[in-house]
Amino acid sequence: MSKSTSAMTLSSDFKDKLSEGVNTCWKSPANIALVKYWGKKGHQIPANPSLSFSLDEAYTITRIHAKLNPNANGPKVSFTFEGEKNPAFASKIEQFLNDLLPHLEYLPHVYLEIESGNNFPHSAGIASSASAMSALALSLLCIEQQLLEEQLDDNSFYRKASLIARLGSGSACRSVYAGFSMWGKHDDFKDSSDNYAIPIDFKPGSLFENIHDTILLVDQNPKKVSSRVGHQLMDNHPFAKARYDQAVTNLSKMRSCLIENDWDTFASITETEALSLHAMMMSSSPGYILMHPNTLKIVEHLVEKRKQNHVNVCYTLDAGPNLHLLYPEEENDKVALIISELTQYCSDGKVIYDTIGKGPENKHCK
Ligand code: PMV
């Protein structure tokens, strides 16, 4: 890869290449936000900056076979999810691809056969849009790379993949990177942007290097209020400004504690962010509650046990009832004991063990 400009030219023989068929395959992870994105300005622009880390075990694999559409009235899509054709989703993807026409010049010329699957259960209550949209974005961009005159350099490739993922699902733009990444303009993060995520520009302390995320599945049903509606309800929210200011301040503090290896501050900010996210939901108009009574039982139990046993462990919540327990690798044994007492509050006793991950991978596929 060599070029960094976003105005890329398709190669003169791109139609020949498409006639032969162009393939790609990407594996991309889910992520868990520590400083939460909640609320938008305009089209997929975040109302506040956010920071997350990519997971290792929760991922989507997406394969695309691109063929020439000689009528140039594309993009046309067939979509298979976990072995089953899904025409409803194919038409949603076509709509999304129409939004991408200004970014991917080849799209009118293709039929895309897209196959996708997750390695975590569909109904597990884990957000799949981040892994799905980042895997799709990386795959679409990888097709472009194969049709260009000159290729993007690595930095530009991931930035553009992040921008495309963002247009599909905001939080997905952070999943194109390994480890910790942030999204949204913030004075403490050079090169930060509302348009795409960037990897953090510092090495986190040793406590965070191999951080674990164990997900306690309190409820595996689809949530009652979607994130799309939740973001919209922030538009006329009476506490919106205070919340956006809080996220900016928390991001500065989060940056410092990751650098300084300060677990206590990290835990306190992470938990405040989780509770603020849910406080926004509860104080929206109409208000709603995504936590479950067992979510609160786990929080109570965890807070008591970690104090008694001096364990570095904290929790966060996504837009749902399931608890994410975060802890440094060295606390594994102590946290395992606490988890064994918490599974009574989980649906079918279900727990998913995950850690910080190495980011997306370009897989070979036929
Ligand atoms: O990416 P969306 O539009 O599904 O929003 C998800 C936002 C949270 O997951 C609740 C927080 C975040 O920053 O990931």
Side-chain angles (χ1 to χ4, degrees), residues 140-166:
L140 290 169
L141 203 52
C142 190
I143 301 270
E144 184 190 52
Q145 291 287 92
Q146 299 178 57
L147 301 175
L148 289 176
E149 202 65 66
E150 216 180 318
Q151 300 208 315
L152 292 170
D153 59 58
D154 270 356
N155 201 17
S156 310
F157 177 85
Y158 286 103
R159 274 196 187 172
K160 187 167 176 181
S162 178
L163 182 147
I164 290 171
R166 182 202 103 222

Side-chain angles (χ1 to χ4, degrees), residues 179-180 203-212 261 328-329 355-357:
F180 293 91
K203 192 171 156 21
S206 58
L207 290 170
F208 306 105
E209 246 169 23
N210 295 311
I211 187 166
H212 285 230
N261 214 20
E329 174 125 310
T355 60
I356 192 166

Side-chain angles (χ1 to χ4, degrees), residues 72-94:
N73 62 351
K76 300 271 182 247
V77 168
S78 79
F79 181 71
T80 309
F81 183 71
E82 292 178 354
E84 293 202 12
K85 281 245 184 262
N86 190 330
F89 222 86
S91 89
K92 277 192 189 160
I93 294 179
E94 275 177 13

